[in-house]
Amino acid sequence: MLDADQDGSSAVLGAAEQSDSDSALQTMVVGQRGAWQWPALVGVVSFLINIAWVTTPAIWYDEAATVSVAMRPGRDILTFITTRADVVHGLYYLAMHEWLGLTGYSMFALRFPSVVAVTVASTGLVVLGQLLENRRAGVMAGLVFIATPACCFYGIEARPYAAAIAGAVLLTCVAFWMSHAEGWQQFRALAALYCVFLALLVYLHLYTVFMVAPHAFLLLDRARPTGRVLSARSVVWLGAVFVAVLASLPLILLAWRQRRQVAFISDVYSSGTAQLKSVLVEAWVGDNLTLAVVFVLFALLGFRTLAGRQRWAIAAWMWCPALVLSLPGLLFGLDFWLPRYMQFSVPALCLAVAFGIDHVSARFSSSLFVCGLALAAVFTLALPTWADDRTPAGKSTGWLWIASLADNLSEIRSDSPSGKAGVVFGMSPSGRQSTRWVSVAYPEALIGLDDISLYKTAIEANDFISYSVDSATVLNRLTGGGLTCVYVMDTASRPFFSADQVAQIEAQGFTEIEQRAASTARVTRMCRPA
């Protein structure tokens, strides 16, 4: 049985809370001066901060995986994600396929969509903060978000997490507008939008399905005195959620089949204590403990200022994904948790922190000065993290050798004699320790080189990278290949050619001209007269 008011709705918030929220919503809709200017301004600030030095960090494994999959034909992308791996990133790969097809591949083009995504998230947070509290709190929420790793780290990473953050913010705005819709026609239109948006968001990042939890506090009506019925609007929203989850069912089933992909997580945390620290601190502010303390203090004050349902909504946004993903690992050793998986919860923390700053500043006559002082402290504490993220090792120190190999190869080739040249990729035939990742992440370094160690392309192997043949096969290919130079990428501890094979190569007229080390790897140039 449905219990609806005359227009088919029931009150969602208390009278005072409803009045304040309606006033903020009317300001946004009517376009009162400053309502949209401030979100736009914060968005510009976010864009400029994140676009700076966006190409400085070396590409790391996850980003190289994005390049590998997104650069292949659309049909092959679908084959890969449905039969091999990464179905949870399938929509992102397809979107990046279209984007890179339009722009061409470069590090700037690769990371630019994430910069745009966190810009949208910053802008959306200002809007959401205005709707929930006031303009000043909204502006501070957007600026606080810019200071978090969710923005400054994932905003320059070619993975779907920045887009998921933006999607979570926008979906929450839609949920808020649904809770304040006037009349059934507007509510049904927003419910349809919510349904489509939620389904797309789940396909973009599976765990964003947990956004349903905070939205329930906004959209499920309070129980009537009898406590026996739901409002008609609540039932419609639940129906929208059901349809969205049903539409996401193929993804959920395929993701479960590919769950062994996250088996590596068990090796990430040495103990439950390390994982607990990751849940409570690292997921929100990285290793910046001082910033964590400041955020906690302001967030606690922020929660005190919020009305009941809004307080619970933000709390659920923050902690529902974190707890659901981390508790199986902490209690039963089931591995689903990595900090990057729940970055879409960070905007909720930023809202709480912003409301806390706003609450403190309201106690002073010069409230704007106090807000500025608090934001200055936040940005000062966050600056070292932002700077570290924009060094060559900002993504992963373990992948600098790939970038160094590419640089060394380009430098060596610059003074090589003209003629046909080839490249040999050593180390493991496939996997993370293959020098073939140079061809994926930095293909410009290999232009004009024949891959004489190729066994199967990545598409043929249905894997992230191509496979290499053994050294004996490469030696046979060198015999009649007509090459004047060969560039061999391997390591001293795992040389591609044995000493006897090097002697056979030298017998064909090749001489080692130069060798350059790149961390534990190296690139060797061997040439012979044309």
Side-chain angles (χ1 to χ4, degrees):
M1 177 179 178
L2 302 181
D3 183 25
D5 293 334
Q6 291 180 353
D7 65 345
S9 65
S10 58
V12 177
L13 304 172
E17 180 186 347
Q18 182 78 39
S19 177
D20 293 342
S21 299
D22 285 346
S23 176
L25 182 59
Q26 184 178 11
T27 297
M28 299 297 299
V29 173
V30 173
Q32 184 175 323
R33 185 177 180 181
W36 294 104
Q37 289 91 328
W38 281 107
L41 180 60
V42 172
V44 170
V45 172
S46 175
F47 180 84
L48 293 177
I49 288 177
N50 282 285
I51 203 69
W53 295 283
V54 68
T55 61
T56 299
I59 291 175
W60 75 296
Y61 176 77
D62 280 21
E63 291 185 299
T66 295
V67 178
S68 172
V69 180
M71 292 298 289
R72 61 188 72 185
R75 179 177 297 180
D76 293 312
I77 295 176
L78 292 174
T79 299
F80 177 80
I81 63 176
T82 55
T83 63
R84 183 60 183 258
D86 270 4
V87 69
V88 292
H89 302 314
L91 181 60
Y92 177 75
Y93 288 151
L94 291 169
M96 289 298 293
H97 170 76
E98 297 299 328
W99 168 250
L100 295 176
L102 179 66
T103 64
Y105 172 71
S106 67
M107 285 182 66
F108 183 85
L110 181 68
R111 289 171 173 166
F112 185 77
S114 291
V115 174
V116 173
V118 293
T119 299
V120 172
S122 303
T123 303
L125 263 180
V126 179
V127 174
L128 190 56
Q130 287 184 187
L131 295 173
L132 293 173
E133 192 74 6
N134 56 55
R135 181 184 303 167
R136 184 172 58 197
V139 171
M140 285 188 294
L143 292 174
V144 168
F145 174 72
I146 296 173
T148 64
C151 185
C152 60
F153 183 88
Y154 295 101
I156 57 170
E157 180 171 274
R159 298 300 279 173
Y161 306 112
I165 295 169
V169 172
L170 296 180
L171 186 66
T172 304
C173 288
V174 174
F176 182 91
W177 289 326
M178 285 178 66
S179 70
H180 292 74
E182 297 180 358
W184 266 106
Q185 184 175 0
Q186 185 182 69
F187 183 85
R188 285 196 296 264
L190 288 171
L193 176 62
Y194 183 95
C195 178
V196 173
F197 205 157
L198 177 60
L200 289 174
L201 191 56
V202 172
Y203 271 93
L204 181 66
H205 182 40
L206 178 61
Y207 294 145
T208 53
V209 71
F210 296 122
M211 287 303 298
V212 171
H215 297 166
F217 288 100
L218 294 176
L219 290 161
L220 285 181
D221 292 345
R222 287 181 177 141
R224 292 294 186 178
T226 60
R228 297 177 181 174
V229 292
L230 284 173
S231 73
R233 289 194 174 196
S234 298
V235 173
V236 171
W237 174 73
L238 289 172
V241 171
F242 176 79
V243 172
V245 173
L246 189 64
S248 307
L249 196 58
L251 171 71
I252 296 170
L253 294 177
L254 282 172
W256 180 252
R257 287 176 56 188
Q258 296 178 5
R259 65 189 181 278
R260 291 182 60 84
Q261 266 197 278
V262 296
F264 72 93
I265 297 177
S266 60
D267 299 324
V268 173
Y269 301 105
S270 57
S271 65
T273 303
Q275 185 171 348
L276 188 61
K277 178 186 176 184
S278 173
V279 174
L280 297 179
V281 180
E282 293 173 2
W284 311 96
V285 295
D287 295 325
N288 198 328
L289 294 179
T290 307
L291 185 61
V293 172
V294 172
F295 275 9
V296 167
L297 293 176
F298 279 123
L300 290 175
L301 288 173
F303 275 111
R304 289 185 60 187
T305 68
L306 288 169
R309 294 174 71 84
Q310 293 180 355
R311 180 190 301 131
W312 284 107
I314 292 180
W317 188 355
M318 281 183 61
W319 290 112
C320 179
L323 292 176
V324 172
L325 294 177
S326 63
L327 284 179
L330 291 170
L331 299 178
F332 310 110
L334 300 176
D335 305 307
F336 298 106
W337 167 266
L338 281 178
R340 63 183 53 242
Y341 293 163
M342 52 69 60
Q343 289 302 300
F344 62 91
S345 292
V346 173
L349 171 64
C350 298
L351 286 169
V353 171
F355 296 160
I357 295 175
D358 181 63
H359 176 68
V360 172
S361 66
R363 296 174 177 268
F364 296 86
S365 57
S366 55
S367 58
L368 289 179
F369 175 78
V370 175
C371 287
L373 197 63
L375 288 172
V378 168
F379 273 87
T380 300
L381 293 172
L383 182 60
T385 302
W386 180 89
D388 286 344
D389 290 340
R390 279 153 179 79
T391 62
K395 290 299 173 188
S396 172
T397 56
W399 267 64
L400 278 176
W401 65 278
I402 292 291
S404 298
L405 272 180
D407 290 340
N408 289 343
L409 179 60
S410 298
E411 293 173 5
I412 288 178
R413 291 187 64 191
S414 63
D415 61 350
S416 295
S418 59
K420 189 177 181 182
V423 62
V424 175
F425 296 101
M427 297 170 70
S428 63
S430 62
R432 295 194 180 203
Q433 296 303 311
S434 173
T435 56
R436 282 195 170 278
W437 285 109
V438 174
S439 67
V440 175
Y442 304 98
E444 66 279 0
L446 300 164
I447 295 175
L449 295 181
D450 291 341
D451 185 353
I452 59 175
S453 60
L454 180 65
Y455 171 53
K456 285 183 178 180
T457 66
I459 294 176
E460 293 170 342
N462 198 32
D463 206 344
F464 286 106
I465 59 171
S466 303
Y467 291 178
S468 295
V469 295
D470 58 25
S471 56
T473 304
V474 173
L475 191 61
N476 291 333
R477 292 177 178 179
L478 279 175
T479 302
L483 300 175
T484 57
C485 282
V486 176
Y487 303 89
V488 182
M489 290 190 281
D490 58 9
T491 65
S493 60
R494 297 178 63 183
F496 187 81
F497 294 112
S498 66
D500 289 341
Q501 289 173 331
V502 171
Q504 295 179 52
I505 294 173
E506 291 174 345
Q508 296 183 39
F510 285 95
T511 303
E512 181 178 316
I513 305 299
E514 186 177 3
Q515 184 177 96
R516 294 195 184 187
S519 184
T520 58
R522 63 187 182 179
V523 55
T524 305
R525 180 177 66 165
M526 305 178 72
C527 296
R528 64 182 173 185

